Amino acid sequence: MPRTVNRVLLGLVGLALVVLGGAVLAVGLGAGPPSWWVHDGRHDVLLSAAERTRWRERGWWWPTVIAALAVLVLLSLWWLTAQLRRRRLAEVLVETGDGEGALLRGRAMESALESEAAGLDGVDRARVLLTGRRNAPEARVGLVLETGAVPQDALHLVCVEALAHARDSAGLARLPATVQLRTTKHRPERVT
């Protein structure tokens, strides 16, 4: 789940719960209910007996309530698993050729790839994140280019040198990568 969507949803749910909880607390402590409040005062119940039993005789009511709650539970479980899923690859499976395999720490491969990419011409800084499965990793590379660097040349060097070396050294058949390019921020130059 994208980080922005996650933060917006959590913010909206949190804001709604704070407003609703604050209103319930204020009415419970004796303050006048707000204009949007559905009940009249402090001793009013949330659901009266008539409200609780109004739809009981309808055949569609309980299946609708159960379906809505089931959808809510499934969405909550989906969100929870999205939060618990690991974003970073912990280890990469390296084929040794003898039918066995060795495990390479994902952070070690990220560090090697970062240092090689940062040392290329035109690259100021590099950031690498390995995702995917341990037998099929994917790289997300973020490059900050120096002022005056040609993006096409920097991208070509990263693909041909850094990513190719990482792929070959880990014995991978392929290493798909997404490369994001940015430039360093610098003060504007004065033209006279």
Side-chain angles (χ1 to χ4, degrees):
M1 175 182 291
R3 185 182 309 174
T4 306
V5 173
N6 190 23
R7 288 183 178 172
V8 168
L9 286 176
L10 283 176
L12 290 175
V13 168
L15 181 65
L17 289 175
V18 165
V19 167
L20 186 64
V24 168
L25 183 63
V27 170
L29 292 176
S35 62
W36 51 269
W37 194 248
V38 294
H39 300 289
D40 297 331
R42 179 177 179 179
H43 299 289
D44 197 6
V45 294
L46 289 178
L47 288 174
S48 66
E51 290 173 332
R52 284 193 317 265
T53 59
R54 176 172 40 172
W55 302 106
R56 186 179 289 176
E57 301 301 321
R58 307 278 188 211
W60 56 269
W61 173 248
W62 288 115
T64 304
V65 168
I66 291 171
L69 290 175
V71 167
L72 184 65
V73 166
L74 289 176
L75 286 174
S76 299
L77 288 174
W78 171 76
W79 178 80
L80 181 63
T81 57
Q83 300 309 307
L84 296 177
R85 186 175 48 222
R86 296 175 68 155
R87 305 271 188 250
R88 175 172 268 158
L89 191 61
E91 53 195 24
V92 177
L93 182 62
V94 178
E95 293 294 331
T96 57
D98 58 356
E100 297 291 324
L103 294 177
L104 172 65
R105 283 187 26 235
R107 298 243 181 175
M109 188 169 174
E110 287 174 354
S111 176
L113 192 53
E114 275 180 16
S115 62
E116 186 171 359
L120 297 173
D121 289 337
V123 177
D124 185 36
R125 290 186 311 268
R127 186 82 178 127
V128 176
L129 176 69
L130 288 178
T131 60
R133 297 185 317 268
R134 68 184 200 164
N135 58 350
E138 299 173 5
R140 291 184 187 168
V141 182
L143 298 178
V144 179
L145 302 179
E146 295 173 347
T147 305
V150 179
Q152 182 179 2
D153 295 343
L155 179 61
H156 178 72
L157 286 175
V158 165
C159 292
V160 170
E161 292 185 19
L163 287 170
H165 291 160
R167 183 189 66 234
D168 295 340
S169 66
L172 300 170
R174 51 184 294 241
L175 180 61
T178 303
V179 181
Q180 293 180 341
L181 303 174
R182 290 187 320 215
T183 59
T184 56
K185 295 184 179 185
H186 59 88
R187 295 175 52 168
E189 297 176 11
R190 297 195 184 260
V191 179
T192 57

